[in-house]
PDB file of all heavy atoms in Angstrom:
ATOM      1  N   ARG A1186       6.242 106.068 156.010  1.00  0.00           N
ATOM      2  CA  ARG A1186       5.232 106.894 155.321  1.00  0.00           C
ATOM      3  C   ARG A1186       4.563 106.179 154.162  1.00  0.00           C
ATOM      4  O   ARG A1186       3.430 106.467 153.802  1.00  0.00           O
ATOM      5  CB  ARG A1186       5.865 108.180 154.807  1.00  0.00           C
ATOM      6  CG  ARG A1186       6.226 109.125 155.901  1.00  0.00           C
ATOM      7  CD  ARG A1186       6.617 110.477 155.361  1.00  0.00           C
ATOM      8  NE  ARG A1186       7.202 110.428 154.040  1.00  0.00           N
ATOM      9  CZ  ARG A1186       8.180 111.203 153.651  1.00  0.00           C
ATOM     10  NH1 ARG A1186       8.684 112.070 154.448  1.00  0.00           N
ATOM     11  NH2 ARG A1186       8.624 111.118 152.425  1.00  0.00           N
ATOM     12  N   TRP A1187       5.250 105.231 153.542  1.00  0.00           N
ATOM     13  CA  TRP A1187       4.698 104.545 152.376  1.00  0.00           C
ATOM     14  C   TRP A1187       3.638 103.520 152.758  1.00  0.00           C
ATOM     15  O   TRP A1187       2.844 103.089 151.901  1.00  0.00           O
ATOM     16  CB  TRP A1187       5.806 103.847 151.577  1.00  0.00           C
ATOM     17  CG  TRP A1187       6.581 102.836 152.357  1.00  0.00           C
ATOM     18  CD1 TRP A1187       7.751 103.029 153.027  1.00  0.00           C
ATOM     19  CD2 TRP A1187       6.230 101.466 152.572  1.00  0.00           C
ATOM     20  NE1 TRP A1187       8.149 101.890 153.648  1.00  0.00           N
ATOM     21  CE2 TRP A1187       7.234 100.897 153.403  1.00  0.00           C
ATOM     22  CE3 TRP A1187       5.149 100.658 152.193  1.00  0.00           C
ATOM     23  CZ2 TRP A1187       7.190  99.585 153.804  1.00  0.00           C
ATOM     24  CZ3 TRP A1187       5.137  99.335 152.610  1.00  0.00           C
ATOM     25  CH2 TRP A1187       6.146  98.809 153.401  1.00  0.00           C
ATOM     26  N   PHE A1188       3.576 103.117 154.027  1.00  0.00           N
ATOM     27  CA  PHE A1188       2.707 102.028 154.403  1.00  0.00           C
ATOM     28  C   PHE A1188       1.215 102.329 154.176  1.00  0.00           C
ATOM     29  O   PHE A1188       0.506 101.473 153.633  1.00  0.00           O
ATOM     30  CB  PHE A1188       2.974 101.588 155.870  1.00  0.00           C
ATOM     31  CG  PHE A1188       2.330 100.303 156.207  1.00  0.00           C
ATOM     32  CD1 PHE A1188       2.750  99.104 155.636  1.00  0.00           C
ATOM     33  CD2 PHE A1188       1.286 100.260 157.119  1.00  0.00           C
ATOM     34  CE1 PHE A1188       2.153  97.913 155.948  1.00  0.00           C
ATOM     35  CE2 PHE A1188       0.677  99.069 157.447  1.00  0.00           C
ATOM     36  CZ  PHE A1188       1.119  97.895 156.864  1.00  0.00           C
ATOM     37  N   PRO A1189       0.689 103.498 154.586  1.00  0.00           N
ATOM     38  CA  PRO A1189      -0.733 103.788 154.280  1.00  0.00           C
ATOM     39  C   PRO A1189      -1.022 103.775 152.777  1.00  0.00           C
ATOM     40  O   PRO A1189      -2.094 103.337 152.350  1.00  0.00           O
ATOM     41  CB  PRO A1189      -0.956 105.152 154.903  1.00  0.00           C
ATOM     42  CG  PRO A1189       0.091 105.302 155.911  1.00  0.00           C
ATOM     43  CD  PRO A1189       1.291 104.547 155.407  1.00  0.00           C
ATOM     44  N   ILE A1190      -0.080 104.248 151.982  1.00  0.00           N
ATOM     45  CA  ILE A1190      -0.256 104.236 150.524  1.00  0.00           C
ATOM     46  C   ILE A1190      -0.315 102.799 150.036  1.00  0.00           C
ATOM     47  O   ILE A1190      -1.136 102.447 149.179  1.00  0.00           O
ATOM     48  CB  ILE A1190       0.887 105.011 149.829  1.00  0.00           C
ATOM     49  CG1 ILE A1190       0.831 106.472 150.247  1.00  0.00           C
ATOM     50  CG2 ILE A1190       0.805 104.854 148.304  1.00  0.00           C
ATOM     51  CD1 ILE A1190       2.039 107.282 149.837  1.00  0.00           C
ATOM     52  N   HIS A1191       0.546 101.946 150.582  1.00  0.00           N
ATOM     53  CA  HIS A1191       0.558 100.532 150.225  1.00  0.00           C
ATOM     54  C   HIS A1191      -0.798  99.879 150.539  1.00  0.00           C
ATOM     55  O   HIS A1191      -1.344  99.117 149.719  1.00  0.00           O
ATOM     56  CB  HIS A1191       1.665  99.837 151.008  1.00  0.00           C
ATOM     57  CG  HIS A1191       1.701  98.357 150.871  1.00  0.00           C
ATOM     58  ND1 HIS A1191       2.163  97.709 149.743  1.00  0.00           N
ATOM     59  CD2 HIS A1191       1.315  97.376 151.730  1.00  0.00           C
ATOM     60  CE1 HIS A1191       2.086  96.408 149.921  1.00  0.00           C
ATOM     61  NE2 HIS A1191       1.561  96.171 151.112  1.00  0.00           N
ATOM     62  N   ILE A1192      -1.323 100.187 151.706  1.00  0.00           N
ATOM     63  CA  ILE A1192      -2.619  99.605 152.114  1.00  0.00           C
ATOM     64  C   ILE A1192      -3.715 100.058 151.144  1.00  0.00           C
ATOM     65  O   ILE A1192      -4.520  99.221 150.687  1.00  0.00           O
ATOM     66  CB  ILE A1192      -2.990 100.001 153.561  1.00  0.00           C
ATOM     67  CG1 ILE A1192      -2.021  99.311 154.546  1.00  0.00           C
ATOM     68  CG2 ILE A1192      -4.430  99.646 153.882  1.00  0.00           C
ATOM     69  CD1 ILE A1192      -2.180  99.785 155.965  1.00  0.00           C
ATOM     70  N   VAL A1193      -3.761 101.329 150.828  1.00  0.00           N
ATOM     71  CA  VAL A1193      -4.795 101.848 149.914  1.00  0.00           C
ATOM     72  C   VAL A1193      -4.682 101.205 148.539  1.00  0.00           C
ATOM     73  O   VAL A1193      -5.686 100.782 147.946  1.00  0.00           O
ATOM     74  CB  VAL A1193      -4.706 103.392 149.818  1.00  0.00           C
ATOM     75  CG1 VAL A1193      -5.571 103.915 148.685  1.00  0.00           C
ATOM     76  CG2 VAL A1193      -5.107 104.027 151.136  1.00  0.00           C
ATOM     77  N   LEU A1194      -3.463 101.081 148.027  1.00  0.00           N
ATOM     78  CA  LEU A1194      -3.283 100.482 146.708  1.00  0.00           C
ATOM     79  C   LEU A1194      -3.661  99.001 146.694  1.00  0.00           C
ATOM     80  O   LEU A1194      -4.275  98.513 145.743  1.00  0.00           O
ATOM     81  CB  LEU A1194      -1.830 100.673 146.236  1.00  0.00           C
ATOM     82  CG  LEU A1194      -1.439 102.090 145.874  1.00  0.00           C
ATOM     83  CD1 LEU A1194       0.031 102.168 145.513  1.00  0.00           C
ATOM     84  CD2 LEU A1194      -2.291 102.636 144.737  1.00  0.00           C
ATOM     85  N   GLN A1195      -3.312  98.283 147.753  1.00  0.00           N
ATOM     86  CA  GLN A1195      -3.690  96.860 147.849  1.00  0.00           C
ATOM     87  C   GLN A1195      -5.209  96.717 147.896  1.00  0.00           C
ATOM     88  O   GLN A1195      -5.778  95.844 147.249  1.00  0.00           O
ATOM     89  CB  GLN A1195      -3.055  96.239 149.076  1.00  0.00           C
ATOM     90  CG  GLN A1195      -1.561  96.044 148.966  1.00  0.00           C
ATOM     91  CD  GLN A1195      -1.198  94.991 147.947  1.00  0.00           C
ATOM     92  OE1 GLN A1195      -1.056  95.288 146.761  1.00  0.00           O
ATOM     93  NE2 GLN A1195      -1.045  93.785 148.406  1.00  0.00           N
ATOM     94  N   LEU A1196      -5.864  97.529 148.693  1.00  0.00           N
ATOM     95  CA  LEU A1196      -7.337  97.451 148.788  1.00  0.00           C
ATOM     96  C   LEU A1196      -8.012  97.860 147.492  1.00  0.00           C
ATOM     97  O   LEU A1196      -9.028  97.276 147.089  1.00  0.00           O
ATOM     98  CB  LEU A1196      -7.830  98.294 149.970  1.00  0.00           C
ATOM     99  CG  LEU A1196      -7.462  97.754 151.350  1.00  0.00           C
ATOM    100  CD1 LEU A1196      -7.921  98.719 152.425  1.00  0.00           C
ATOM    101  CD2 LEU A1196      -8.057  96.362 151.590  1.00  0.00           C
ATOM    102  N   LEU A1197      -7.441  98.853 146.815  1.00  0.00           N
ATOM    103  CA  LEU A1197      -7.983  99.272 145.516  1.00  0.00           C
ATOM    104  C   LEU A1197      -7.852  98.133 144.492  1.00  0.00           C
ATOM    105  O   LEU A1197      -8.797  97.820 143.752  1.00  0.00           O
ATOM    106  CB  LEU A1197      -7.268 100.531 145.016  1.00  0.00           C
ATOM    107  CG  LEU A1197      -7.691 101.035 143.652  1.00  0.00           C
ATOM    108  CD1 LEU A1197      -9.146 101.464 143.658  1.00  0.00           C
ATOM    109  CD2 LEU A1197      -6.802 102.191 143.222  1.00  0.00           C
ATOM    110  N   ALA A1198      -6.678  97.484 144.460  1.00  0.00           N
ATOM    111  CA  ALA A1198      -6.479  96.360 143.558  1.00  0.00           C
ATOM    112  C   ALA A1198      -7.445  95.224 143.879  1.00  0.00           C
ATOM    113  O   ALA A1198      -8.005  94.615 142.984  1.00  0.00           O
ATOM    114  CB  ALA A1198      -5.036  95.861 143.639  1.00  0.00           C
ATOM    115  N   ALA A1199      -7.659  94.972 145.164  1.00  0.00           N
ATOM    116  CA  ALA A1199      -8.595  93.917 145.571  1.00  0.00           C
ATOM    117  C   ALA A1199     -10.013  94.268 145.139  1.00  0.00           C
ATOM    118  O   ALA A1199     -10.754  93.415 144.628  1.00  0.00           O
ATOM    119  CB  ALA A1199      -8.543  93.707 147.066  1.00  0.00           C
ATOM    120  N   ALA A1200     -10.417  95.515 145.321  1.00  0.00           N
ATOM    121  CA  ALA A1200     -11.768  95.927 144.933  1.00  0.00           C
ATOM    122  C   ALA A1200     -11.975  95.816 143.437  1.00  0.00           C
ATOM    123  O   ALA A1200     -13.011  95.344 142.970  1.00  0.00           O
ATOM    124  CB  ALA A1200     -12.024  97.366 145.410  1.00  0.00           C
ATOM    125  N   LEU A1201     -10.980  96.237 142.660  1.00  0.00           N
ATOM    126  CA  LEU A1201     -11.105  96.164 141.209  1.00  0.00           C
ATOM    127  C   LEU A1201     -11.094  94.713 140.713  1.00  0.00           C
ATOM    128  O   LEU A1201     -11.834  94.352 139.777  1.00  0.00           O
ATOM    129  CB  LEU A1201      -9.987  96.959 140.536  1.00  0.00           C
ATOM    130  CG  LEU A1201     -10.053  98.478 140.722  1.00  0.00           C
ATOM    131  CD1 LEU A1201      -8.810  99.149 140.150  1.00  0.00           C
ATOM    132  CD2 LEU A1201     -11.321  99.046 140.097  1.00  0.00           C
ATOM    133  N   THR A1202     -10.308  93.880 141.344  1.00  0.00           N
ATOM    134  CA  THR A1202     -10.281  92.444 140.986  1.00  0.00           C
ATOM    135  C   THR A1202     -11.624  91.802 141.305  1.00  0.00           C
ATOM    136  O   THR A1202     -12.160  91.023 140.495  1.00  0.00           O
ATOM    137  CB  THR A1202      -9.151  91.721 141.736  1.00  0.00           C
ATOM    138  OG1 THR A1202      -7.904  92.357 141.407  1.00  0.00           O
ATOM    139  CG2 THR A1202      -9.063  90.269 141.328  1.00  0.00           C
ATOM    140  N   LEU A1203     -12.171  92.151 142.457  1.00  0.00           N
ATOM    141  CA  LEU A1203     -13.501  91.620 142.825  1.00  0.00           C
ATOM    142  C   LEU A1203     -14.571  92.108 141.847  1.00  0.00           C
ATOM    143  O   LEU A1203     -15.414  91.314 141.406  1.00  0.00           O
ATOM    144  CB  LEU A1203     -13.842  92.049 144.256  1.00  0.00           C
ATOM    145  CG  LEU A1203     -15.201  91.591 144.778  1.00  0.00           C
ATOM    146  CD1 LEU A1203     -15.276  90.068 144.797  1.00  0.00           C
ATOM    147  CD2 LEU A1203     -15.428  92.146 146.168  1.00  0.00           C
ATOM    148  N   ALA A1204     -14.517  93.368 141.481  1.00  0.00           N
ATOM    149  CA  ALA A1204     -15.480  93.908 140.506  1.00  0.00           C
ATOM    150  C   ALA A1204     -15.356  93.156 139.169  1.00  0.00           C
ATOM    151  O   ALA A1204     -16.361  92.799 138.565  1.00  0.00           O
ATOM    152  CB  ALA A1204     -15.271  95.389 140.322  1.00  0.00           C
ATOM    153  N   GLY A1205     -14.127  92.952 138.729  1.00  0.00           N
ATOM    154  CA  GLY A1205     -13.925  92.232 137.474  1.00  0.00           C
ATOM    155  C   GLY A1205     -14.446  90.794 137.550  1.00  0.00           C
ATOM    156  O   GLY A1205     -15.046  90.289 136.599  1.00  0.00           O
ATOM    157  N   PHE A1206     -14.226  90.150 138.684  1.00  0.00           N
ATOM    158  CA  PHE A1206     -14.682  88.776 138.864  1.00  0.00           C
ATOM    159  C   PHE A1206     -16.228  88.731 138.833  1.00  0.00           C
ATOM    160  O   PHE A1206     -16.817  87.866 138.202  1.00  0.00           O
ATOM    161  CB  PHE A1206     -14.177  88.215 140.187  1.00  0.00           C
ATOM    162  CG  PHE A1206     -14.469  86.751 140.357  1.00  0.00           C
ATOM    163  CD1 PHE A1206     -13.706  85.797 139.703  1.00  0.00           C
ATOM    164  CD2 PHE A1206     -15.494  86.318 141.178  1.00  0.00           C
ATOM    165  CE1 PHE A1206     -13.988  84.457 139.845  1.00  0.00           C
ATOM    166  CE2 PHE A1206     -15.770  84.971 141.345  1.00  0.00           C
ATOM    167  CZ  PHE A1206     -14.999  84.037 140.675  1.00  0.00           C
ATOM    168  N   ILE A1207     -16.872  89.690 139.498  1.00  0.00           N
ATOM    169  CA  ILE A1207     -18.350  89.736 139.479  1.00  0.00           C
ATOM    170  C   ILE A1207     -18.857  89.942 138.057  1.00  0.00           C
ATOM    171  O   ILE A1207     -19.794  89.271 137.615  1.00  0.00           O
ATOM    172  CB  ILE A1207     -18.846  90.839 140.431  1.00  0.00           C
ATOM    173  CG1 ILE A1207     -18.581  90.425 141.878  1.00  0.00           C
ATOM    174  CG2 ILE A1207     -20.326  91.106 140.220  1.00  0.00           C
ATOM    175  CD1 ILE A1207     -18.790  91.513 142.898  1.00  0.00           C
ATOM    176  N   ILE A1208     -18.242  90.846 137.347  1.00  0.00           N
ATOM    177  CA  ILE A1208     -18.672  91.119 135.958  1.00  0.00           C
ATOM    178  C   ILE A1208     -18.518  89.855 135.111  1.00  0.00           C
ATOM    179  O   ILE A1208     -19.420  89.508 134.326  1.00  0.00           O
ATOM    180  CB  ILE A1208     -17.872  92.286 135.366  1.00  0.00           C
ATOM    181  CG1 ILE A1208     -18.323  93.591 136.050  1.00  0.00           C
ATOM    182  CG2 ILE A1208     -18.062  92.377 133.861  1.00  0.00           C
ATOM    183  CD1 ILE A1208     -17.420  94.745 135.753  1.00  0.00           C
ATOM    184  N   ILE A1209     -17.385  89.153 135.215  1.00  0.00           N
ATOM    185  CA  ILE A1209     -17.186  87.985 134.364  1.00  0.00           C
ATOM    186  C   ILE A1209     -18.115  86.839 134.776  1.00  0.00           C
ATOM    187  O   ILE A1209     -18.591  86.089 133.908  1.00  0.00           O
ATOM    188  CB  ILE A1209     -15.690  87.558 134.358  1.00  0.00           C
ATOM    189  CG1 ILE A1209     -15.422  86.668 133.149  1.00  0.00           C
ATOM    190  CG2 ILE A1209     -15.294  86.845 135.628  1.00  0.00           C
ATOM    191  CD1 ILE A1209     -15.638  87.302 131.818  1.00  0.00           C
ATOM    192  N   VAL A1210     -18.389  86.699 136.070  1.00  0.00           N
ATOM    193  CA  VAL A1210     -19.340  85.643 136.479  1.00  0.00           C
ATOM    194  C   VAL A1210     -20.714  85.920 135.908  1.00  0.00           C
ATOM    195  O   VAL A1210     -21.408  85.010 135.443  1.00  0.00           O
ATOM    196  CB  VAL A1210     -19.386  85.522 138.012  1.00  0.00           C
ATOM    197  CG1 VAL A1210     -20.586  84.721 138.485  1.00  0.00           C
ATOM    198  CG2 VAL A1210     -18.093  84.900 138.535  1.00  0.00           C
ATOM    199  N   MET A1211     -21.135  87.187 135.909  1.00  0.00           N
ATOM    200  CA  MET A1211     -22.423  87.546 135.319  1.00  0.00           C
ATOM    201  C   MET A1211     -22.423  87.272 133.816  1.00  0.00           C
ATOM    202  O   MET A1211     -23.396  86.800 133.276  1.00  0.00           O
ATOM    203  CB  MET A1211     -22.736  89.025 135.584  1.00  0.00           C
ATOM    204  CG  MET A1211     -23.019  89.296 137.061  1.00  0.00           C
ATOM    205  SD  MET A1211     -23.122  91.048 137.461  1.00  0.00           S
ATOM    206  CE  MET A1211     -24.332  91.629 136.325  1.00  0.00           C
ATOM    207  N   HIS A1212     -21.296  87.531 133.136  1.00  0.00           N
ATOM    208  CA  HIS A1212     -21.226  87.331 131.704  1.00  0.00           C
ATOM    209  C   HIS A1212     -21.186  85.832 131.341  1.00  0.00           C
ATOM    210  O   HIS A1212     -21.860  85.398 130.402  1.00  0.00           O
ATOM    211  CB  HIS A1212     -20.003  88.035 131.128  1.00  0.00           C
ATOM    212  CG  HIS A1212     -19.766  87.749 129.682  1.00  0.00           C
ATOM    213  ND1 HIS A1212     -20.570  88.271 128.686  1.00  0.00           N
ATOM    214  CD2 HIS A1212     -18.833  86.985 129.051  1.00  0.00           C
ATOM    215  CE1 HIS A1212     -20.150  87.840 127.529  1.00  0.00           C
ATOM    216  NE2 HIS A1212     -19.075  87.061 127.710  1.00  0.00           N
ATOM    217  N   VAL A1213     -20.406  85.059 132.065  1.00  0.00           N
ATOM    218  CA  VAL A1213     -20.238  83.645 131.736  1.00  0.00           C
ATOM    219  C   VAL A1213     -21.551  82.908 131.937  1.00  0.00           C
ATOM    220  O   VAL A1213     -21.848  81.962 131.233  1.00  0.00           O
ATOM    221  CB  VAL A1213     -19.099  83.011 132.562  1.00  0.00           C
ATOM    222  CG1 VAL A1213     -19.089  81.500 132.462  1.00  0.00           C
ATOM    223  CG2 VAL A1213     -17.760  83.571 132.112  1.00  0.00           C
ATOM    224  N   GLY A1214     -22.358  83.330 132.877  1.00  0.00           N
ATOM    225  CA  GLY A1214     -23.621  82.679 133.110  1.00  0.00           C
ATOM    226  C   GLY A1214     -24.687  83.039 132.074  1.00  0.00           C
ATOM    227  O   GLY A1214     -25.758  82.462 132.040  1.00  0.00           O
ATOM    228  N   SER A1215     -24.359  83.971 131.169  1.00  0.00           N
ATOM    229  CA  SER A1215     -25.319  84.425 130.182  1.00  0.00           C
ATOM    230  C   SER A1215     -25.337  83.476 128.971  1.00  0.00           C
ATOM    231  O   SER A1215     -24.527  82.559 128.861  1.00  0.00           O
ATOM    232  CB  SER A1215     -24.975  85.842 129.706  1.00  0.00           C
ATOM    233  OG  SER A1215     -23.802  85.807 128.946  1.00  0.00           O
ATOM    234  N   ASP A1216     -26.273  83.698 128.108  1.00  0.00           N
ATOM    235  CA  ASP A1216     -26.401  82.873 126.904  1.00  0.00           C
ATOM    236  C   ASP A1216     -25.256  83.112 125.915  1.00  0.00           C
ATOM    237  O   ASP A1216     -24.974  82.248 125.100  1.00  0.00           O
ATOM    238  CB  ASP A1216     -27.731  83.168 126.200  1.00  0.00           C
ATOM    239  CG  ASP A1216     -28.906  82.696 127.018  1.00  0.00           C
ATOM    240  OD1 ASP A1216     -28.715  81.785 127.846  1.00  0.00           O
ATOM    241  OD2 ASP A1216     -30.011  83.249 126.853  1.00  0.00           O
TER     242      ASP A1216
END
Side-chain angles (χ1 to χ4, degrees):
R1186 289 191 331 216
W1187 60 265
F1188 193 67
I1190 297 169
H1191 173 76
I1192 292 172
V1193 169
L1194 290 175
Q1195 289 292 86
L1196 291 175
L1197 178 63
L1201 292 174
T1202 303
L1203 179 61
F1206 188 77
I1207 290 170
I1208 290 169
I1209 199 62
V1210 165
M1211 291 170 54
H1212 173 72
V1213 169
S1215 70
D1216 292 336

